[in-house]
Amino acid sequence: MGLDSVPGGRLAAAGYSSPMLHLASQSPRRRELLARLGLAFGVLDIDVAERRQPTEGPEDYVRRVAREKAGAGLLQVMQAPGVLVIGADTEVVLGNEVFGKPRDAGDAAAMLRRLSGRTHRVLSAVSVVSAGREMQALSESEVTFAELGDATIDAYVASGEPEGKAGAYAIQGIAQAFIPRLSGSYSGVMGLPLFETAQMLRAFGALQ
């Protein structure tokens, strides 16, 4: 099943409670962000194909993948009563083009050159599901990149940070130095918009 236990923090100690909450993601960034809400949760190892359909808009795509991740996670643990599963998907969008995770260093450099000196959107969808209920939210942010020279791009790619990151950058890492302007949710750009996630968890009674 691939289930790990993550302890709750200050808020849990202060009286916050949770049903059997699980995060359907192996992303360390999402684990870090969800832990900030102070809830104990398990981590599920799920396998969902992230392939955009030819006629699928960027918003519909991230919503669908988040829902599929949550659903796949729920199938793993639904034998336990009261379980709640969170699934999320985050994509970088330039125009109507979705920039997923780079295939290799060359692909990462190509993405960064496309983003250089331009403003792009980051869409982050979150689905929260139980055996009888589902909620979803979509966070949209705008991120402006400074002009990046070839030497800067090459050094950043060589750092290894773009690997496994949508759009080939991590806003919480070295790439902060490339971004003069962010409009929207910092945590959403990282991979899990905490405002929207907390709202849904409150609606499910998992967070006060």
Side-chain angles (χ1 to χ4, degrees):
M1 183 181 297
L3 176 61
D4 299 322
S5 179
V6 178
R10 176 176 53 84
L11 296 181
Y16 282 70
S17 62
S18 169
M20 295 182 64
L21 179 65
H22 303 280
L23 175 65
S25 173
Q26 286 293 306
S27 164
R29 295 164 298 282
R30 291 195 178 108
R31 290 178 63 166
E32 173 193 341
L33 288 165
L34 186 57
R36 293 178 187 177
L37 297 180
L39 296 171
F41 60 92
V43 178
L44 300 170
D45 186 4
I46 50 96
D47 184 18
V48 169
E50 298 183 30
R51 286 190 292 271
R52 183 183 176 192
Q53 302 301 318
T55 60
E56 197 170 33
E59 292 85 356
D60 291 336
Y61 171 59
V62 295
R63 284 183 178 276
R64 176 178 60 80
V65 173
R67 186 179 299 112
E68 288 179 357
K69 289 178 178 179
L74 184 63
L75 287 175
Q76 291 188 11
V77 295
M78 65 185 306
Q79 69 277 10
V83 291
L84 195 61
V85 177
I86 299 172
D89 186 56
T90 301
E91 301 293 346
V92 167
V93 181
L94 185 63
N96 193 49
E97 185 177 357
V98 174
F99 287 36
K101 301 176 180 68
R103 297 183 300 274
D104 51 31
D107 193 31
M111 287 185 185
L112 292 166
R113 290 190 182 95
R114 294 282 308 282
L115 298 176
S116 173
R118 305 177 74 175
T119 297
H120 61 269
R121 295 187 296 154
V122 178
L123 302 177
S124 194
V126 185
S127 286
V128 182
V129 300
S130 67
R133 187 180 181 191
E134 174 185 355
M135 294 187 71
Q136 188 177 75
L138 178 68
S139 168
E140 179 175 338
S141 302
E142 290 189 346
V143 179
T144 301
F145 263 37
E147 294 280 354
L148 303 178
D150 287 343
T152 298
I153 290 173
D154 290 344
Y156 183 57
V157 172
S159 76
E161 188 171 277
E163 184 178 350
K165 311 295 193 307
Y169 74 92
I171 196 171
Q172 72 276 15
I174 302 167
Q176 289 186 70
F178 308 155
I179 299 170
R181 180 176 176 273
L182 163 66
S183 176
S185 169
Y186 180 85
S187 60
V189 178
M190 275 186 69
L192 187 71
L194 284 185
F195 177 78
E196 290 84 354
T197 302
Q199 281 190 314
M200 290 188 290
L201 290 176
R202 289 189 183 101
F204 274 92
L207 187 65
Q208 295 180 6

